[in-house]
Amino acid sequence: MATLNDIGVAAAINILTAFAFFLAFAMLRIQPVNDRVYFPKWYIKGLRSSPLVNGSAFASKFVNLDLRSYTRFLNWMPAALQMPEPELIDHAGLDSAVYLRIYLLGLKIFGPIALIAFTVTIPVNWSNNTLEHSGLTYSDIDKTSISNIPIGSHKFWTHLVLAYCFTFWTCYVLKREYEIVAAMRLHFLASDQRRPDQFTVLVRNVPPDPDESVTDLVQHFFLVNHPHHYLSHQLVYDANKLSELVNEKKKIQNWLDFYQNKYKRNPLKRPSLKTGFLGLWGNRVDAIDFYTSIVERLSRDICGEREKVNSNTKSIMPAAFVSFKTRWGAAVCAQTQQSRNPTTWLTEWAPEPRDVYWENLAIPFVFLTIRRLIAAVAFFFLTFFFMIPIAIVQSLANIESIEKALPFLKPIIEVKFIKSFIQGFLPGIALKIFLLLLPTILMMMSKFEGFISLSALERRSASRYYFFQFINVFFGSIITGTAFLQLNHFIHQSTSQIPKTIGVSIPMKATFFITYIMVDGWAGVAGEILRLKPLIIYHLKNSFLVKTEKDREEAMDPGTVGFNTGEPQIQLYFLLGLVYAVVTPILLPFITVFFALAYVVYRHQEYESAAAFWPDVHVRVVAALIVSQLLLMGLLSTKEASQSTPLLITLPVLTICFHRFCKGRYEPAFVRYPLQEAMMKDTLERAKEANLNLKGFLQNAYIHPVFKSADGSDSESESEWERSPALVATKRTSKRFTPMPSKDGGSLLSLDQVNDECLKP
């Protein structure tokens, strides 16, 4: 078992690692050659120019020669912490500000809880000698846990009272934060600039009609049912093959630009290359002619594919982006049922144009349920079979298991420092390595399921990542770790005593989670500020792959906060903190340090993430709270604390009631757009911009990118944005969906006549 000395060694290693990351960041960020890596958004906004072109000496373009700047290298920390929240929102967006509040939430919850737990719980737990006579394997850390309380002791009332206190405090902080974030979101929406998604709705599962095309059917439906607010629409095409051709052409065009620039620098020598694999073998040809021919071929293929998409009705999906004259009209459409048949004319808010994941719009709506079922089954097996590496990781935490499996390593393992390293550092980093590929796999599953926005993909992937960690990292580590740790005790006891042994051992797994928090939380978060991955990728690209200025801009892409991995990881720490707050409170300082460190780090970073993720944060913290209550209830039942256990049943009930209250009170601000806010925004906009050309603003917003850039120019002729006619012109003869005939088929009805006709049986 890991001792206090082992934990101390691990803490020292991780603190030194974190300090080294901070020191490296402070030095690297002031070097001119790294300027684009650490200030990417400033370049994108045009607020910063490269120091590489301004330095007088050659060395000054790569190394900061100003010695005074090295004396101020830690100035970024107070500057980041002192930035007011409104200024942070203006600079980095609401998403970044709200994401930061997750770490602030952790500090608010666990700071007071840690103080109370160390003042009350640890002395109560330590003042017993139960583990000394239990026959279980334990350490000094375990003596601070609830496992050290004698069976049937009245001291369990202390843990019961603290469970109530911690629950009420957590719920209070959650409510306050939900209230603040909801107000921030509504204020942001009220003051936000005009965006296409505020006026646009995505309509899916448009029912087929033998008499009309999809574009005529969409226009006809919305002119009849939203006559005063419908503005225009854009059809959705299956252009995935065209998109592949366009992307391939972009890559080839970059190579062509590279060799053309190379030839301009040295006109005396035409560049050449070998046509084989990676240019290592094959016939040597003129590079410019070679890539020019490929670009010309791809251009012909693109034109042919575009013509095929435009002429083939099978390329038109039964979906459209429908825009309205007002936000109020879009809100009414997005948040109401459009048809008597609830499975057709399905509407939802359109994602922001840059957030659209165009490939999944080509998936027929009827296949989505099947895809999600397949993904759910695949996720189940992934979660189940991942128990194997979790068990391997847990075996690393047990010195005895390693010595039995590899006896020749025993002399080395018994060295004091190496033993401390294995028990205090290796299990956490091994688990971290096993989890590296998981986010990529889960994101592939989310894409397969058919979500149509990048933010939805990230939120889906995040929810699965959290569930995976809940089952495998939390419960898996406890179950397999307990089995390894107490194997000898399991073998020599009756079956009826096994649940009691597990109940005692669960609090004692805090040692493993402490090492994991230090490795993943302390050193991992400190490593985030170094931006090691973007730093290496940028310099590799800049040295070997950057061929044009456009490539350089893409190489310094700031990326995102990685919501699909970052937020579930934070929630794991909430879960660990709440579960162990009562049973093994010595874990709490490590959790608190993580949230404080992460808050400092992400105050400096400039990321964007999903804007409406706070309800997910709230519900997962509530779930962690309920899990902690249920585990405490089970633990006390094994301790024969029959008088206190029934009182714990009330806590999950109260917590669920609290969640339902918050869900009804605050969640609508994150899933719906209040009509009052929409009308207010529309009224102010009409007063300020009476001659606003909204149609011009929305015209190209939701055209598939390949129609805009296939040949380097917008292709307005390919769009299906229609003028808003005063009358509804259709080719239909049937009245299956609307009773209004076209002008080609008879006289037009007035709006009142349409309403009367619709009410007829």
Side-chain angles (χ1 to χ4, degrees), residues 204 240 357 359-379 439-454 456-458 460-461 464:
R204 308 184 77 178
N240 288 347
Y357 188 67
E359 291 182 20
N360 281 356
L361 282 173
I363 300 174
F365 188 81
V366 294
F367 293 157
L368 294 182
T369 302
I370 300 174
R371 282 171 167 259
R372 288 171 187 175
L373 178 61
I374 294 172
V377 173
F379 178 68
T440 303
I441 297 172
L442 295 179
M443 182 58 74
M444 290 171 60
M445 286 186 177
S446 299
K447 291 178 179 178
F448 177 78
E449 288 183 89
F451 293 96
I452 53 108
S453 69
L454 298 174
L457 288 171
E458 286 201 334
R460 179 63 163 183
S461 182
R464 287 215 158 125

Side-chain angles (χ1 to χ4, degrees), residues 378-390 431 434-439 441-442 445 460-477 516 568-569 572 575 620:
F379 178 68
F380 170 80
F381 284 105
L382 176 68
T383 305
F384 179 78
F385 285 111
F386 212 88
M387 282 287 185
I388 298 172
I390 293 291
L431 182 57
F434 273 119
L435 294 174
L436 283 178
L437 292 177
L438 183 63
I441 297 172
L442 295 179
M445 286 186 177
R460 179 63 163 183
S461 182
S463 65
R464 287 215 158 125
Y465 194 22
Y466 171 73
F467 184 77
F468 181 93
Q469 292 204 108
F470 179 77
I471 296 297
N472 276 303
V473 179
F474 181 66
F475 277 118
S477 295
Y516 183 71
Q569 201 70 9
L572 177 64
L575 176 66
R620 286 169 193 159

Side-chain angles (χ1 to χ4, degrees), residues 250-260 291 547:
K250 285 180 180 178
K251 295 177 183 177
I252 299 299
Q253 185 66 51
N254 275 352
W255 280 109
L256 178 59
D257 293 341
F258 169 71
Y259 283 112
Q260 286 176 338
Y291 283 114
K547 300 174 284 295

Side-chain angles (χ1 to χ4, degrees), residues 539-558:
H539 286 299
L540 286 176
K541 286 183 176 180
N542 199 36
S543 301
F544 302 106
L545 301 178
V546 167
K547 300 174 284 295
T548 63
E549 191 60 33
K550 183 179 179 182
D551 290 341
R552 198 178 309 279
E553 292 177 2
E554 292 177 354
M556 69 172 184
D557 179 16

Side-chain angles (χ1 to χ4, degrees), residues 387-695:
M387 282 287 185
I388 298 172
I390 293 291
I392 295 173
V393 168
Q394 286 301 323
S395 69
L396 292 175
N398 186 10
I399 291 291
E400 290 76 14
S401 299
I402 299 176
E403 291 178 347
K404 287 179 182 178
L406 305 169
F408 61 91
L409 292 178
K410 185 174 181 179
I412 301 175
I413 292 174
E414 289 299 326
V415 176
K416 188 174 181 181
F417 176 79
I418 295 177
K419 186 175 182 179
S420 299
F421 175 82
I422 291 174
Q423 291 187 318
F425 189 79
L426 189 59
I429 199 168
L431 182 57
K432 180 76 173 174
I433 292 171
F434 273 119
L435 294 174
L436 283 178
L437 292 177
L438 183 63
T440 303
I441 297 172
L442 295 179
M443 182 58 74
M444 290 171 60
M445 286 186 177
S446 299
K447 291 178 179 178
F448 177 78
E449 288 183 89
F451 293 96
I452 53 108
S453 69
L454 298 174
S455 57
L457 288 171
E458 286 201 334
R459 291 180 65 185
R460 179 63 163 183
S461 182
S463 65
R464 287 215 158 125
Y465 194 22
Y466 171 73
F467 184 77
F468 181 93
Q469 292 204 108
F470 179 77
I471 296 297
N472 276 303
V473 179
F474 181 66
F475 277 118
S477 295
I478 287 175
I479 294 170
T480 57
T482 300
F484 278 114
L485 201 60
Q486 310 298 346
L487 184 60
N488 183 63
H489 202 69
F490 281 168
I491 294 173
H492 297 91
Q493 69 178 182
S494 64
T495 307
S496 61
Q497 294 296 310
I498 290 179
K500 187 176 294 186
T501 302
I502 293 177
V504 173
S505 302
I506 285 176
M508 296 161 61
K509 283 307 297 176
T511 305
F512 167 76
F513 288 121
I514 287 173
T515 64
Y516 183 71
I517 291 166
M518 288 189 293
V519 172
D520 184 67
W522 294 9
V525 168
E528 279 292 323
I529 199 169
L530 187 60
R531 302 200 73 205
L532 192 60
K533 182 179 176 182
L535 180 69
I536 294 173
I537 290 176
Y538 172 77
H539 286 299
L540 286 176
K541 286 183 176 180
N542 199 36
S543 301
F544 302 106
L545 301 178
V546 167
K547 300 174 284 295
T548 63
E549 191 60 33
K550 183 179 179 182
D551 290 341
R552 198 178 309 279
E553 292 177 2
E554 292 177 354
M556 69 172 184
D557 179 16
T560 67
V561 75
F563 178 80
N564 58 312
T565 57
E567 194 269 345
Q569 201 70 9
I570 300 169
Q571 292 299 333
L572 177 64
Y573 297 136
F574 274 107
L575 176 66
L576 293 176
L578 291 171
V579 166
Y580 283 99
V582 175
V583 297
T584 313
I586 199 169
L587 180 139
L588 291 174
F590 298 91
I591 292 281
T592 307
V593 169
F594 161 75
F595 281 112
L597 190 62
Y599 184 74
V600 172
V601 168
Y602 287 104
R603 282 287 292 194
H604 178 269
Q605 302 290 60
E606 303 170 4
Y607 288 121
E608 294 293 338
S609 58
F613 59 76
W614 193 261
D616 296 331
V617 174
H618 176 87
V619 74
R620 286 169 193 159
V621 175
V622 170
L625 195 57
I626 294 173
V627 169
S628 70
Q629 295 159 357
L630 295 176
L631 288 179
L632 180 62
M633 199 184 308
L635 182 60
L636 291 181
S637 68
T638 66
K639 291 285 192 175
E640 298 180 6
S642 56
Q643 294 178 335
S644 59
T645 303
L647 294 175
L648 280 173
I649 298 175
T650 310
L651 274 182
V653 176
L654 292 175
T655 306
I656 292 172
C657 292
F658 164 76
H659 170 64
R660 290 178 64 85
F661 164 77
C662 289
K663 183 179 178 68
R665 175 64 180 83
Y666 302 114
E667 188 173 311
F670 294 85
V671 296
R672 298 189 185 95
Y673 190 25
L675 295 181
Q676 182 184 25
E677 295 288 335
M679 180 62 75
M680 189 183 307
K681 186 82 172 173
D682 290 332
T683 304
L684 289 173
E685 190 171 73
R686 282 194 298 268
K688 292 179 180 179
E689 302 178 68
N691 298 321
L692 172 66
N693 180 14
L694 185 59
K695 191 159 191 174

